[in-house]
Amino acid sequence: MLSKIKVYKDYLISEEKSSSTIQKYIHDIIGFVKWLEGREISKGLTMEYKQILVEQYTVKSVNSIISSLNSFFIWLGCPECKVKNVRVQKTTFTAPNRDLTMSEYERLLKTAYNLGKERLYLVMQTICATGIRVSELCYITIEAVKNGATQIDCKGKTRSILIPKKLCSMLENYAAKKNIRKGCVFITRNGRPLDRSNIWAEMKKLCKKACVLASKVFPHNLRHLFGKTFYAKYQDIGRLADLLGHSSINTTRIYTLESGEIHRNRIQNFGLIINLTLQNTT
């Protein structure tokens, strides 16, 4: 089976899937194959594995793994082994312990700066100010900073990203200080582009000192804050989908959700609650 997985990986590469997507698909498939322990793939076993996933992971994670496996089954020529996604009720409000607020974002930046974490300080601002994915940081190059824009190729789509002038100036100063003259701005000591695990771990170390819940501190939440801020200001979901590189506006709708507390405050101002008992006693 491992030899087939290798061939499948080559197939994904030929289909021009992103490196992060390929890595995830292969990771999910290997996890399933290890669980099989040599047994032949069948619909019954796939359903059993799905139930185990449901008991251990969130619905979103389970469906993501199922998507990886179903794609592999189709390639193998056994689509009958596919299973359906776990149904999830449409989200109406954002979770209060999930969204990163502007004040929390500012505290994270201040903490990173005060700790001398200049690279992390700039990485967070770059993701949040442009809305790029953490895996797309490699497109923020010296050349892109000089031009104030970059072209990102991801998931078969190419999109243009503008880099704010103020951020360009900060990145140019940082690169000059670190003697980075070409290629990626954000690199490791070995000269390799930073990966998401590096950034994720560094951000988590800021939580306690910045007084921000750890559940809110991860790279994708910076992209999320960009999306929420853009939509709140311009109410243009189509344009936001283009900026974020979404193929479907339905994916972008998550950025239009508001917290339950904001909604509660709004409906309390409708004037639709009339307490007649209170009026009769006055």
PDB file of all heavy atoms in Angstrom, residues 83-115:
ATOM      1  N   VAL A  83     -17.101   7.456   2.069  1.00  0.00           N
ATOM      2  CA  VAL A  83     -18.116   7.691   3.108  1.00  0.00           C
ATOM      3  C   VAL A  83     -18.541   9.150   3.059  1.00  0.00           C
ATOM      4  O   VAL A  83     -17.806  10.017   2.557  1.00  0.00           O
ATOM      5  CB  VAL A  83     -17.588   7.354   4.522  1.00  0.00           C
ATOM      6  CG1 VAL A  83     -17.371   5.867   4.676  1.00  0.00           C
ATOM      7  CG2 VAL A  83     -16.301   8.117   4.808  1.00  0.00           C
ATOM      8  N   LYS A  84     -19.715   9.427   3.574  1.00  0.00           N
ATOM      9  CA  LYS A  84     -20.239  10.782   3.560  1.00  0.00           C
ATOM     10  C   LYS A  84     -19.635  11.616   4.693  1.00  0.00           C
ATOM     11  O   LYS A  84     -19.211  11.077   5.717  1.00  0.00           O
ATOM     12  CB  LYS A  84     -21.760  10.766   3.705  1.00  0.00           C
ATOM     13  CG  LYS A  84     -22.488  10.138   2.532  1.00  0.00           C
ATOM     14  CD  LYS A  84     -23.993  10.193   2.741  1.00  0.00           C
ATOM     15  CE  LYS A  84     -24.728   9.584   1.539  1.00  0.00           C
ATOM     16  NZ  LYS A  84     -26.202   9.612   1.726  1.00  0.00           N
ATOM     17  N   ASN A  85     -19.605  12.908   4.485  1.00  0.00           N
ATOM     18  CA  ASN A  85     -19.141  13.813   5.531  1.00  0.00           C
ATOM     19  C   ASN A  85     -20.095  13.792   6.714  1.00  0.00           C
ATOM     20  O   ASN A  85     -21.272  13.446   6.573  1.00  0.00           O
ATOM     21  CB  ASN A  85     -19.056  15.249   5.001  1.00  0.00           C
ATOM     22  CG  ASN A  85     -17.824  15.482   4.150  1.00  0.00           C
ATOM     23  OD1 ASN A  85     -16.933  14.652   4.103  1.00  0.00           O
ATOM     24  ND2 ASN A  85     -17.774  16.610   3.472  1.00  0.00           N
ATOM     25  N   VAL A  86     -19.585  14.163   7.855  1.00  0.00           N
ATOM     26  CA  VAL A  86     -20.421  14.309   9.045  1.00  0.00           C
ATOM     27  C   VAL A  86     -21.228  15.585   8.879  1.00  0.00           C
ATOM     28  O   VAL A  86     -20.664  16.641   8.552  1.00  0.00           O
ATOM     29  CB  VAL A  86     -19.565  14.397  10.324  1.00  0.00           C
ATOM     30  CG1 VAL A  86     -20.450  14.589  11.548  1.00  0.00           C
ATOM     31  CG2 VAL A  86     -18.699  13.160  10.463  1.00  0.00           C
ATOM     32  N   ARG A  87     -22.509  15.496   9.064  1.00  0.00           N
ATOM     33  CA  ARG A  87     -23.343  16.683   8.910  1.00  0.00           C
ATOM     34  C   ARG A  87     -23.132  17.638  10.074  1.00  0.00           C
ATOM     35  O   ARG A  87     -23.013  17.231  11.223  1.00  0.00           O
ATOM     36  CB  ARG A  87     -24.822  16.301   8.841  1.00  0.00           C
ATOM     37  CG  ARG A  87     -25.206  15.553   7.566  1.00  0.00           C
ATOM     38  CD  ARG A  87     -26.693  15.346   7.489  1.00  0.00           C
ATOM     39  NE  ARG A  87     -27.082  14.681   6.244  1.00  0.00           N
ATOM     40  CZ  ARG A  87     -28.334  14.405   5.914  1.00  0.00           C
ATOM     41  NH1 ARG A  87     -29.317  14.711   6.748  1.00  0.00           N
ATOM     42  NH2 ARG A  87     -28.601  13.808   4.765  1.00  0.00           N
ATOM     43  N   VAL A  88     -23.077  18.910   9.751  1.00  0.00           N
ATOM     44  CA  VAL A  88     -22.879  19.922  10.787  1.00  0.00           C
ATOM     45  C   VAL A  88     -23.894  21.038  10.601  1.00  0.00           C
ATOM     46  O   VAL A  88     -24.174  21.461   9.478  1.00  0.00           O
ATOM     47  CB  VAL A  88     -21.436  20.500  10.728  1.00  0.00           C
ATOM     48  CG1 VAL A  88     -21.140  21.075   9.363  1.00  0.00           C
ATOM     49  CG2 VAL A  88     -21.218  21.532  11.809  1.00  0.00           C
ATOM     50  N   GLN A  89     -24.469  21.469  11.708  1.00  0.00           N
ATOM     51  CA  GLN A  89     -25.446  22.546  11.649  1.00  0.00           C
ATOM     52  C   GLN A  89     -24.757  23.849  11.288  1.00  0.00           C
ATOM     53  O   GLN A  89     -23.649  24.127  11.745  1.00  0.00           O
ATOM     54  CB  GLN A  89     -26.156  22.699  12.999  1.00  0.00           C
ATOM     55  CG  GLN A  89     -27.282  23.729  12.987  1.00  0.00           C
ATOM     56  CD  GLN A  89     -28.001  23.774  14.330  1.00  0.00           C
ATOM     57  OE1 GLN A  89     -27.750  22.961  15.197  1.00  0.00           O
ATOM     58  NE2 GLN A  89     -28.899  24.731  14.491  1.00  0.00           N
ATOM     59  N   LYS A  90     -25.391  24.621  10.428  1.00  0.00           N
ATOM     60  CA  LYS A  90     -24.826  25.892   9.996  1.00  0.00           C
ATOM     61  C   LYS A  90     -24.580  26.814  11.183  1.00  0.00           C
ATOM     62  O   LYS A  90     -25.437  26.999  12.041  1.00  0.00           O
ATOM     63  CB  LYS A  90     -25.770  26.579   9.009  1.00  0.00           C
ATOM     64  CG  LYS A  90     -25.201  27.852   8.415  1.00  0.00           C
ATOM     65  CD  LYS A  90     -26.161  28.452   7.404  1.00  0.00           C
ATOM     66  CE  LYS A  90     -25.600  29.741   6.826  1.00  0.00           C
ATOM     67  NZ  LYS A  90     -26.532  30.366   5.855  1.00  0.00           N
ATOM     68  N   THR A  91     -23.399  27.387  11.238  1.00  0.00           N
ATOM     69  CA  THR A  91     -23.034  28.289  12.332  1.00  0.00           C
ATOM     70  C   THR A  91     -23.728  29.634  12.172  1.00  0.00           C
ATOM     71  O   THR A  91     -23.725  30.222  11.094  1.00  0.00           O
ATOM     72  CB  THR A  91     -21.513  28.516  12.362  1.00  0.00           C
ATOM     73  OG1 THR A  91     -20.864  27.251  12.475  1.00  0.00           O
ATOM     74  CG2 THR A  91     -21.114  29.392  13.520  1.00  0.00           C
ATOM     75  N   THR A  92     -24.353  30.090  13.240  1.00  0.00           N
ATOM     76  CA  THR A  92     -25.044  31.374  13.215  1.00  0.00           C
ATOM     77  C   THR A  92     -24.177  32.482  13.789  1.00  0.00           C
ATOM     78  O   THR A  92     -24.173  33.611  13.291  1.00  0.00           O
ATOM     79  CB  THR A  92     -26.363  31.290  14.021  1.00  0.00           C
ATOM     80  OG1 THR A  92     -27.144  30.207  13.522  1.00  0.00           O
ATOM     81  CG2 THR A  92     -27.160  32.582  13.878  1.00  0.00           C
ATOM     82  N   PHE A  93     -23.451  32.160  14.853  1.00  0.00           N
ATOM     83  CA  PHE A  93     -22.596  33.144  15.510  1.00  0.00           C
ATOM     84  C   PHE A  93     -21.193  32.576  15.694  1.00  0.00           C
ATOM     85  O   PHE A  93     -21.000  31.366  15.729  1.00  0.00           O
ATOM     86  CB  PHE A  93     -23.156  33.545  16.878  1.00  0.00           C
ATOM     87  CG  PHE A  93     -24.568  34.037  16.851  1.00  0.00           C
ATOM     88  CD1 PHE A  93     -25.583  33.296  17.418  1.00  0.00           C
ATOM     89  CD2 PHE A  93     -24.871  35.245  16.239  1.00  0.00           C
ATOM     90  CE1 PHE A  93     -26.893  33.761  17.379  1.00  0.00           C
ATOM     91  CE2 PHE A  93     -26.179  35.713  16.196  1.00  0.00           C
ATOM     92  CZ  PHE A  93     -27.190  34.960  16.767  1.00  0.00           C
ATOM     93  N   THR A  94     -20.235  33.446  15.822  1.00  0.00           N
ATOM     94  CA  THR A  94     -18.871  33.006  16.088  1.00  0.00           C
ATOM     95  C   THR A  94     -18.725  32.661  17.561  1.00  0.00           C
ATOM     96  O   THR A  94     -19.391  33.246  18.417  1.00  0.00           O
ATOM     97  CB  THR A  94     -17.856  34.110  15.741  1.00  0.00           C
ATOM     98  OG1 THR A  94     -18.177  35.295  16.482  1.00  0.00           O
ATOM     99  CG2 THR A  94     -17.896  34.423  14.262  1.00  0.00           C
ATOM    100  N   ALA A  95     -17.841  31.716  17.839  1.00  0.00           N
ATOM    101  CA  ALA A  95     -17.599  31.329  19.231  1.00  0.00           C
ATOM    102  C   ALA A  95     -16.848  32.449  19.944  1.00  0.00           C
ATOM    103  O   ALA A  95     -15.886  32.996  19.400  1.00  0.00           O
ATOM    104  CB  ALA A  95     -16.782  30.044  19.280  1.00  0.00           C
ATOM    105  N   PRO A  96     -17.272  32.811  21.170  1.00  0.00           N
ATOM    106  CA  PRO A  96     -16.641  33.928  21.885  1.00  0.00           C
ATOM    107  C   PRO A  96     -15.181  33.698  22.230  1.00  0.00           C
ATOM    108  O   PRO A  96     -14.422  34.628  22.425  1.00  0.00           O
ATOM    109  CB  PRO A  96     -17.496  34.046  23.164  1.00  0.00           C
ATOM    110  CG  PRO A  96     -18.117  32.696  23.327  1.00  0.00           C
ATOM    111  CD  PRO A  96     -18.363  32.197  21.931  1.00  0.00           C
ATOM    112  N   ASN A  97     -14.750  32.439  22.307  1.00  0.00           N
ATOM    113  CA  ASN A  97     -13.356  32.144  22.655  1.00  0.00           C
ATOM    114  C   ASN A  97     -12.519  31.799  21.434  1.00  0.00           C
ATOM    115  O   ASN A  97     -11.462  31.192  21.536  1.00  0.00           O
ATOM    116  CB  ASN A  97     -13.294  30.984  23.652  1.00  0.00           C
ATOM    117  CG  ASN A  97     -13.836  29.692  23.070  1.00  0.00           C
ATOM    118  OD1 ASN A  97     -14.573  29.708  22.073  1.00  0.00           O
ATOM    119  ND2 ASN A  97     -13.484  28.572  23.660  1.00  0.00           N
ATOM    120  N   ARG A  98     -13.008  32.194  20.246  1.00  0.00           N
ATOM    121  CA  ARG A  98     -12.311  31.837  19.017  1.00  0.00           C
ATOM    122  C   ARG A  98     -11.802  33.056  18.246  1.00  0.00           C
ATOM    123  O   ARG A  98     -10.675  33.074  17.769  1.00  0.00           O
ATOM    124  CB  ARG A  98     -13.253  31.025  18.128  1.00  0.00           C
ATOM    125  CG  ARG A  98     -12.582  30.366  16.929  1.00  0.00           C
ATOM    126  CD  ARG A  98     -11.643  29.284  17.361  1.00  0.00           C
ATOM    127  NE  ARG A  98     -11.107  28.552  16.214  1.00  0.00           N
ATOM    128  CZ  ARG A  98     -10.179  27.621  16.286  1.00  0.00           C
ATOM    129  NH1 ARG A  98      -9.676  27.299  17.455  1.00  0.00           N
ATOM    130  NH2 ARG A  98      -9.728  27.004  15.216  1.00  0.00           N
ATOM    131  N   ASP A  99     -12.634  34.072  18.100  1.00  0.00           N
ATOM    132  CA  ASP A  99     -12.253  35.245  17.308  1.00  0.00           C
ATOM    133  C   ASP A  99     -11.221  36.112  18.022  1.00  0.00           C
ATOM    134  O   ASP A  99     -11.339  36.394  19.212  1.00  0.00           O
ATOM    135  CB  ASP A  99     -13.487  36.093  16.996  1.00  0.00           C
ATOM    136  CG  ASP A  99     -14.085  35.727  15.644  1.00  0.00           C
ATOM    137  OD1 ASP A  99     -13.520  34.861  14.971  1.00  0.00           O
ATOM    138  OD2 ASP A  99     -15.115  36.299  15.279  1.00  0.00           O
ATOM    139  N   LEU A 100     -10.241  36.548  17.265  1.00  0.00           N
ATOM    140  CA  LEU A 100      -9.217  37.458  17.785  1.00  0.00           C
ATOM    141  C   LEU A 100      -9.688  38.891  17.579  1.00  0.00           C
ATOM    142  O   LEU A 100     -10.070  39.272  16.474  1.00  0.00           O
ATOM    143  CB  LEU A 100      -7.908  37.220  17.033  1.00  0.00           C
ATOM    144  CG  LEU A 100      -6.651  37.928  17.542  1.00  0.00           C
ATOM    145  CD1 LEU A 100      -6.240  37.345  18.891  1.00  0.00           C
ATOM    146  CD2 LEU A 100      -5.517  37.743  16.534  1.00  0.00           C
ATOM    147  N   THR A 101      -9.711  39.684  18.647  1.00  0.00           N
ATOM    148  CA  THR A 101     -10.138  41.073  18.533  1.00  0.00           C
ATOM    149  C   THR A 101      -8.951  41.963  18.169  1.00  0.00           C
ATOM    150  O   THR A 101      -7.794  41.556  18.282  1.00  0.00           O
ATOM    151  CB  THR A 101     -10.735  41.575  19.860  1.00  0.00           C
ATOM    152  OG1 THR A 101      -9.701  41.606  20.859  1.00  0.00           O
ATOM    153  CG2 THR A 101     -11.867  40.665  20.335  1.00  0.00           C
ATOM    154  N   MET A 102      -9.258  43.182  17.767  1.00  0.00           N
ATOM    155  CA  MET A 102      -8.196  44.122  17.406  1.00  0.00           C
ATOM    156  C   MET A 102      -7.307  44.434  18.603  1.00  0.00           C
ATOM    157  O   MET A 102      -6.077  44.510  18.469  1.00  0.00           O
ATOM    158  CB  MET A 102      -8.807  45.412  16.862  1.00  0.00           C
ATOM    159  CG  MET A 102      -7.779  46.430  16.403  1.00  0.00           C
ATOM    160  SD  MET A 102      -6.721  45.827  15.059  1.00  0.00           S
ATOM    161  CE  MET A 102      -7.895  45.878  13.701  1.00  0.00           C
ATOM    162  N   SER A 103      -7.897  44.600  19.772  1.00  0.00           N
ATOM    163  CA  SER A 103      -7.100  44.919  20.962  1.00  0.00           C
ATOM    164  C   SER A 103      -6.189  43.748  21.327  1.00  0.00           C
ATOM    165  O   SER A 103      -5.043  43.943  21.764  1.00  0.00           O
ATOM    166  CB  SER A 103      -8.006  45.276  22.144  1.00  0.00           C
ATOM    167  OG  SER A 103      -8.843  44.189  22.495  1.00  0.00           O
ATOM    168  N   GLU A 104      -6.671  42.522  21.142  1.00  0.00           N
ATOM    169  CA  GLU A 104      -5.850  41.341  21.431  1.00  0.00           C
ATOM    170  C   GLU A 104      -4.709  41.231  20.423  1.00  0.00           C
ATOM    171  O   GLU A 104      -3.584  40.868  20.782  1.00  0.00           O
ATOM    172  CB  GLU A 104      -6.719  40.085  21.402  1.00  0.00           C
ATOM    173  CG  GLU A 104      -7.665  39.993  22.592  1.00  0.00           C
ATOM    174  CD  GLU A 104      -8.705  38.905  22.431  1.00  0.00           C
ATOM    175  OE1 GLU A 104      -9.023  38.531  21.279  1.00  0.00           O
ATOM    176  OE2 GLU A 104      -9.221  38.427  23.470  1.00  0.00           O
ATOM    177  N   TYR A 105      -5.010  41.536  19.175  1.00  0.00           N
ATOM    178  CA  TYR A 105      -3.986  41.543  18.124  1.00  0.00           C
ATOM    179  C   TYR A 105      -2.890  42.551  18.461  1.00  0.00           C
ATOM    180  O   TYR A 105      -1.691  42.251  18.364  1.00  0.00           O
ATOM    181  CB  TYR A 105      -4.653  41.889  16.796  1.00  0.00           C
ATOM    182  CG  TYR A 105      -3.719  42.241  15.659  1.00  0.00           C
ATOM    183  CD1 TYR A 105      -2.784  41.322  15.181  1.00  0.00           C
ATOM    184  CD2 TYR A 105      -3.787  43.494  15.048  1.00  0.00           C
ATOM    185  CE1 TYR A 105      -1.933  41.642  14.126  1.00  0.00           C
ATOM    186  CE2 TYR A 105      -2.944  43.819  13.989  1.00  0.00           C
ATOM    187  CZ  TYR A 105      -2.023  42.891  13.535  1.00  0.00           C
ATOM    188  OH  TYR A 105      -1.188  43.214  12.486  1.00  0.00           O
ATOM    189  N   GLU A 106      -3.291  43.730  18.901  1.00  0.00           N
ATOM    190  CA  GLU A 106      -2.328  44.767  19.261  1.00  0.00           C
ATOM    191  C   GLU A 106      -1.474  44.338  20.452  1.00  0.00           C
ATOM    192  O   GLU A 106      -0.274  44.619  20.497  1.00  0.00           O
ATOM    193  CB  GLU A 106      -3.063  46.069  19.570  1.00  0.00           C
ATOM    194  CG  GLU A 106      -3.684  46.717  18.328  1.00  0.00           C
ATOM    195  CD  GLU A 106      -4.521  47.933  18.666  1.00  0.00           C
ATOM    196  OE1 GLU A 106      -4.703  48.227  19.871  1.00  0.00           O
ATOM    197  OE2 GLU A 106      -4.991  48.600  17.725  1.00  0.00           O
ATOM    198  N   ARG A 107      -2.085  43.631  21.404  1.00  0.00           N
ATOM    199  CA  ARG A 107      -1.331  43.152  22.562  1.00  0.00           C
ATOM    200  C   ARG A 107      -0.298  42.093  22.150  1.00  0.00           C
ATOM    201  O   ARG A 107       0.812  42.052  22.677  1.00  0.00           O
ATOM    202  CB  ARG A 107      -2.272  42.582  23.630  1.00  0.00           C
ATOM    203  CG  ARG A 107      -3.141  43.626  24.308  1.00  0.00           C
ATOM    204  CD  ARG A 107      -3.531  43.208  25.718  1.00  0.00           C
ATOM    205  NE  ARG A 107      -4.298  41.973  25.754  1.00  0.00           N
ATOM    206  CZ  ARG A 107      -5.624  41.908  25.607  1.00  0.00           C
ATOM    207  NH1 ARG A 107      -6.321  43.011  25.380  1.00  0.00           N
ATOM    208  NH2 ARG A 107      -6.237  40.755  25.688  1.00  0.00           N
ATOM    209  N   LEU A 108      -0.667  41.249  21.204  1.00  0.00           N
ATOM    210  CA  LEU A 108       0.265  40.236  20.712  1.00  0.00           C
ATOM    211  C   LEU A 108       1.465  40.903  20.033  1.00  0.00           C
ATOM    212  O   LEU A 108       2.615  40.499  20.233  1.00  0.00           O
ATOM    213  CB  LEU A 108      -0.439  39.304  19.726  1.00  0.00           C
ATOM    214  CG  LEU A 108      -1.439  38.305  20.319  1.00  0.00           C
ATOM    215  CD1 LEU A 108      -2.213  37.605  19.201  1.00  0.00           C
ATOM    216  CD2 LEU A 108      -0.724  37.278  21.192  1.00  0.00           C
ATOM    217  N   LEU A 109       1.178  41.925  19.233  1.00  0.00           N
ATOM    218  CA  LEU A 109       2.257  42.645  18.550  1.00  0.00           C
ATOM    219  C   LEU A 109       3.182  43.320  19.559  1.00  0.00           C
ATOM    220  O   LEU A 109       4.414  43.240  19.446  1.00  0.00           O
ATOM    221  CB  LEU A 109       1.675  43.693  17.600  1.00  0.00           C
ATOM    222  CG  LEU A 109       0.925  43.196  16.370  1.00  0.00           C
ATOM    223  CD1 LEU A 109       0.405  44.381  15.566  1.00  0.00           C
ATOM    224  CD2 LEU A 109       1.817  42.320  15.498  1.00  0.00           C
ATOM    225  N   LYS A 110       2.582  43.977  20.526  1.00  0.00           N
ATOM    226  CA  LYS A 110       3.375  44.698  21.534  1.00  0.00           C
ATOM    227  C   LYS A 110       4.235  43.734  22.331  1.00  0.00           C
ATOM    228  O   LYS A 110       5.412  44.017  22.621  1.00  0.00           O
ATOM    229  CB  LYS A 110       2.439  45.479  22.467  1.00  0.00           C
ATOM    230  CG  LYS A 110       3.174  46.359  23.458  1.00  0.00           C
ATOM    231  CD  LYS A 110       2.197  47.187  24.292  1.00  0.00           C
ATOM    232  CE  LYS A 110       2.953  48.089  25.257  1.00  0.00           C
ATOM    233  NZ  LYS A 110       2.005  48.911  26.068  1.00  0.00           N
ATOM    234  N   THR A 111       3.666  42.579  22.668  1.00  0.00           N
ATOM    235  CA  THR A 111       4.412  41.579  23.439  1.00  0.00           C
ATOM    236  C   THR A 111       5.596  41.043  22.635  1.00  0.00           C
ATOM    237  O   THR A 111       6.717  40.925  23.151  1.00  0.00           O
ATOM    238  CB  THR A 111       3.492  40.413  23.849  1.00  0.00           C
ATOM    239  OG1 THR A 111       2.401  40.922  24.634  1.00  0.00           O
ATOM    240  CG2 THR A 111       4.253  39.382  24.663  1.00  0.00           C
ATOM    241  N   ALA A 112       5.344  40.715  21.365  1.00  0.00           N
ATOM    242  CA  ALA A 112       6.422  40.210  20.503  1.00  0.00           C
ATOM    243  C   ALA A 112       7.529  41.253  20.368  1.00  0.00           C
ATOM    244  O   ALA A 112       8.723  40.931  20.438  1.00  0.00           O
ATOM    245  CB  ALA A 112       5.863  39.844  19.129  1.00  0.00           C
ATOM    246  N   TYR A 113       7.151  42.491  20.191  1.00  0.00           N
ATOM    247  CA  TYR A 113       8.118  43.583  20.030  1.00  0.00           C
ATOM    248  C   TYR A 113       8.948  43.764  21.302  1.00  0.00           C
ATOM    249  O   TYR A 113      10.184  43.888  21.239  1.00  0.00           O
ATOM    250  CB  TYR A 113       7.384  44.878  19.695  1.00  0.00           C
ATOM    251  CG  TYR A 113       8.296  46.052  19.454  1.00  0.00           C
ATOM    252  CD1 TYR A 113       8.916  46.234  18.219  1.00  0.00           C
ATOM    253  CD2 TYR A 113       8.550  46.980  20.474  1.00  0.00           C
ATOM    254  CE1 TYR A 113       9.768  47.311  17.998  1.00  0.00           C
ATOM    255  CE2 TYR A 113       9.400  48.049  20.267  1.00  0.00           C
ATOM    256  CZ  TYR A 113      10.005  48.222  19.031  1.00  0.00           C
ATOM    257  OH  TYR A 113      10.848  49.277  18.825  1.00  0.00           O
ATOM    258  N   ASN A 114       8.272  43.773  22.442  1.00  0.00           N
ATOM    259  CA  ASN A 114       8.967  43.977  23.723  1.00  0.00           C
ATOM    260  C   ASN A 114       9.902  42.819  24.055  1.00  0.00           C
ATOM    261  O   ASN A 114      10.881  42.993  24.785  1.00  0.00           O
ATOM    262  CB  ASN A 114       7.956  44.170  24.848  1.00  0.00           C
ATOM    263  CG  ASN A 114       7.247  45.518  24.764  1.00  0.00           C
ATOM    264  OD1 ASN A 114       7.745  46.452  24.132  1.00  0.00           O
ATOM    265  ND2 ASN A 114       6.084  45.622  25.380  1.00  0.00           N
ATOM    266  N   LEU A 115       9.589  41.627  23.541  1.00  0.00           N
ATOM    267  CA  LEU A 115      10.433  40.460  23.781  1.00  0.00           C
ATOM    268  C   LEU A 115      11.586  40.366  22.780  1.00  0.00           C
ATOM    269  O   LEU A 115      12.392  39.444  22.844  1.00  0.00           O
ATOM    270  CB  LEU A 115       9.590  39.176  23.712  1.00  0.00           C
ATOM    271  CG  LEU A 115       8.592  38.950  24.849  1.00  0.00           C
ATOM    272  CD1 LEU A 115       7.731  37.720  24.558  1.00  0.00           C
ATOM    273  CD2 LEU A 115       9.319  38.783  26.180  1.00  0.00           C
TER     274      LEU A 115
END
